Amino acid sequence: LRTISIPELPKQEGSAEFFVLLSFHKVEDVQFISGSDGLKSATAALMKTDFGASFPDDGPERIPRRGILSCSTYTKPSCSFVLLLPSTTTK
């Protein structure tokens, strides 16, 4: 439930951490934290990703999440994003 495939990214190697800000309608923001410099450009693909977050209504609430994007040329899809536990969002 915490792993999301990101098939839009080209085959590449590496991993990186990102902050993702989710709202009822869409991904509001994505910020690169650290990791492989080649994955900095993955923010555009993550902005288009459906993380399946559920909200009780369409209010203004937002949920910040932290996750790790991991890519390998040996897997299909080549990249996946794993949401970390909410307690790690502030670190």
Side-chain angles (χ1 to χ4, degrees):
L1 294 173
R2 296 185 305 141
T3 304
I4 298 103
S5 297
I6 313 291
E8 297 85 19
L9 293 173
K11 286 200 176 281
Q12 52 189 317
E13 291 280 330
S15 66
E17 287 190 48
F18 291 87
F19 281 125
V20 179
L21 185 62
L22 306 173
S23 72
F24 176 77
H25 298 290
K26 62 180 181 170
V27 177
E28 295 282 331
D29 192 22
V30 176
Q31 292 182 2
F32 177 84
I33 301 171
S34 65
S36 302
D37 286 335
L39 293 176
K40 283 184 180 180
S41 61
T43 56
L46 291 172
M47 288 288 292
K48 298 177 195 174
T49 301
D50 179 12
F51 285 90
S54 60
F55 289 80
D57 57 27
D58 61 351
E61 296 79 20
R62 295 179 183 151
I63 300 174
R65 294 296 302 266
R66 186 177 189 161
I68 298 174
L69 179 66
S70 179
C71 298
S72 172
T73 57
Y74 301 107
T75 60
K76 186 170 183 178
S78 62
C79 295
S80 61
F81 191 80
V82 177
L83 291 168
L84 299 176
L85 297 175
S87 62
T88 64
T89 301
T90 59
K91 294 184 181 182

